[in-house]
Amino acid sequence: MSALIEPIKGAGPTLLALAISATGGGLAQAAGMPAGWLIGGMISVAIAALAGAPVAMPGWLRDIAFVLVGLVMGGNVARDSLTLIVQWPVTMLALAIELALIISATGWALQKLFRLDPGTSFMSAFPGHLSFVMAIASAGVGNSRQIAIIQVVRILFLTASAPLALLLFSASAPQGPVEPQMAIGTLVAVGAACALTGFVFTRLRVPAGYVLGAMFMATTARLTGNFEGALPPAVTIAAFVLIGCNIAIRLKGITGSEFRGALLAGLVATIIAVGITTVMAIICAQFVDMPFGHIWLGLSPGALEGMGALGIAMGFDTAFIAAHHVTRLLILTISIPLVVMLVRRHERKRL
């Protein structure tokens, strides 16, 4: 009997986290909050984690969440996405300029306003690629604990504020005709193919491999006519509940005093990122024939899975959003080591 009870006990923290995320998301959705299932779940789990509740999300469940988000993103790719690629160079250029502005402005602000050392300031300023940032920080660049907390706070603030920022600019996507729900057999087949492709992408060390692999497969199936019909709402809701939980669970183990200490720094970093993103999106909107929301979420410096989920919830074209976030990760892969080299050179000159 104990052999049967033990796994159930071990699943307790995971079940608690999912229950909190689903309850918070359901209440937020019922209250009419934009992207309620995602934002409500994220905020609820964040509060529980900071309060010391025994919440957890194992790696295998996180990977399932990523596959589901990729599946839903691929299922929501607009069929005319490929015709819009000719406009992407403008927004890609804006993305590169935006990243330089965000990193330099945030790094400077964290040094001047919060007296953080250059390594901690600039590692906290990078908008994304958190695993890469933390790997370098752990090697002795800056205060890795401070960097982790500020980055997590920034991601939480950005994900929560994105729907509100879009609504301020009336950036809602027009709703197309409602498709009939797809057959269960099609859903199972495409879902299995998405999971397998995500696994392969991860083995090939593609950034956000499960998300991008699943989206690649779902998009291919959709554009080739092998993915007909709308996904069941339960699949989309499950993806939102899981991703909201995954974002917030990073606060587990952070004490209340640590969170309060990083709160203002994370808020400042978010304000700078949102302000620069909004200005760049407004500029791009003058040159490309594309809804403002598509541009803003494509340029937004949040996690691919989080921004992708928001794109789905707001009804935007996920192909554009994913392409720009992949480009952002590639730019950061190159720029993070370069900035670290500059920071270390500056520190040596001060000695």
Side-chain angles (χ1 to χ4, degrees), residues 21 30 48 71 74 78 85 95 100 106-107 171 216 247 256 264 267 269 272 288 292 294 299 332 343:
S21 184
L71 168 63
I85 290 179
L95 176 66
T106 305
F216 171 80
I247 293 172
L264 190 54
L267 181 59
I272 292 172
V288 297
F292 178 82
H294 287 189
L299 298 181
L332 289 175
V343 168

Side-chain angles (χ1 to χ4, degrees), residues 5-346:
I5 294 176
E6 200 60 37
I8 297 175
K9 287 183 177 180
T14 300
L15 294 175
L16 177 62
L18 294 179
I20 292 172
S21 184
T23 302
L27 292 174
Q29 188 72 18
M33 177 184 289
W37 284 108
L38 173 67
I39 305 303
M42 181 187 73
I43 293 173
S44 299
V45 175
I47 293 172
L50 287 172
V55 291
M57 189 170 186
W60 62 266
L61 186 58
R62 179 202 61 209
D63 293 340
I64 289 175
F66 290 164
V67 169
L68 283 177
V69 169
L71 168 63
V72 179
M73 288 175 68
N76 283 271
V77 167
R79 296 190 185 277
D80 62 348
S81 293
L82 297 180
T83 64
L84 301 175
I85 290 179
V86 294
Q87 302 186 63
W88 290 8
V90 173
T91 50
M92 290 290 186
L93 176 61
L95 176 66
I97 297 172
E98 170 194 283
L99 288 176
L101 292 174
I102 289 175
I103 293 168
S104 56
T106 305
W108 179 86
L110 293 179
Q111 284 187 83
K112 298 300 181 182
L113 298 179
F114 300 97
R115 304 300 179 189
L116 299 179
D117 62 89
T120 302
S121 297
F122 282 98
M123 296 301 286
S124 301
F126 286 114
H129 223 335
L130 183 58
S131 58
F132 190 25
V133 168
M134 293 314 304
I136 293 180
S138 299
V141 181
N143 184 317
S144 59
R145 183 73 174 174
Q146 277 187 311
I147 294 167
I149 297 171
I150 293 173
Q151 284 279 12
V152 170
V153 170
R154 179 190 63 81
I155 291 170
L156 285 169
F157 277 141
L158 181 62
T159 307
S161 65
L164 300 178
L166 292 172
L167 288 178
L168 287 176
F169 286 86
S170 301
S172 56
Q175 299 299 313
V178 178
E179 293 184 274
Q181 191 164 302
M182 71 170 50
I184 295 298
T186 302
L187 175 61
V188 171
V190 174
C194 286
L196 178 59
T197 309
F199 177 77
V200 172
F201 273 42
T202 301
R203 289 293 182 181
L204 294 175
R205 299 188 181 278
V206 176
Y210 275 109
V211 178
L212 292 178
M215 182 180 177
F216 171 80
M217 177 53 66
T219 301
T220 301
R222 182 169 176 80
L223 296 181
T224 56
N226 295 304
F227 190 170
E228 296 295 338
L231 286 165
V235 174
T236 304
I237 291 172
F240 290 166
V241 168
L242 288 171
I243 287 300
C245 185
N246 179 65
I247 293 172
I249 210 75
R250 294 167 177 166
L251 289 176
K252 184 179 179 181
I254 296 175
T255 65
S257 60
E258 286 178 321
F259 181 77
R260 288 190 296 272
L263 192 63
L264 190 54
L267 181 59
V268 168
T270 305
I271 290 172
I272 292 172
V274 169
I276 293 174
T277 298
T278 302
V279 170
M280 296 303 294
I282 292 173
I283 294 172
C284 286
Q286 312 307 310
F287 298 95
V288 297
D289 182 19
M290 201 177 296
F292 178 82
H294 287 189
I295 302 171
W296 198 96
L297 277 179
L299 298 181
S300 60
L304 169 60
E305 63 275 8
M307 296 300 104
L310 283 175
I312 298 164
M314 304 295 287
F316 298 129
D317 178 18
T318 51
F320 175 85
I321 296 169
H324 284 67
H325 280 273
V326 171
T327 302
R328 175 172 58 85
L329 292 176
L330 293 175
I331 293 174
L332 289 175
T333 300
I334 297 171
S335 63
I336 289 173
L338 293 177
V339 172
V340 169
M341 288 173 58
L342 292 174
V343 168
R344 284 183 163 171
R345 181 179 299 177
H346 175 73

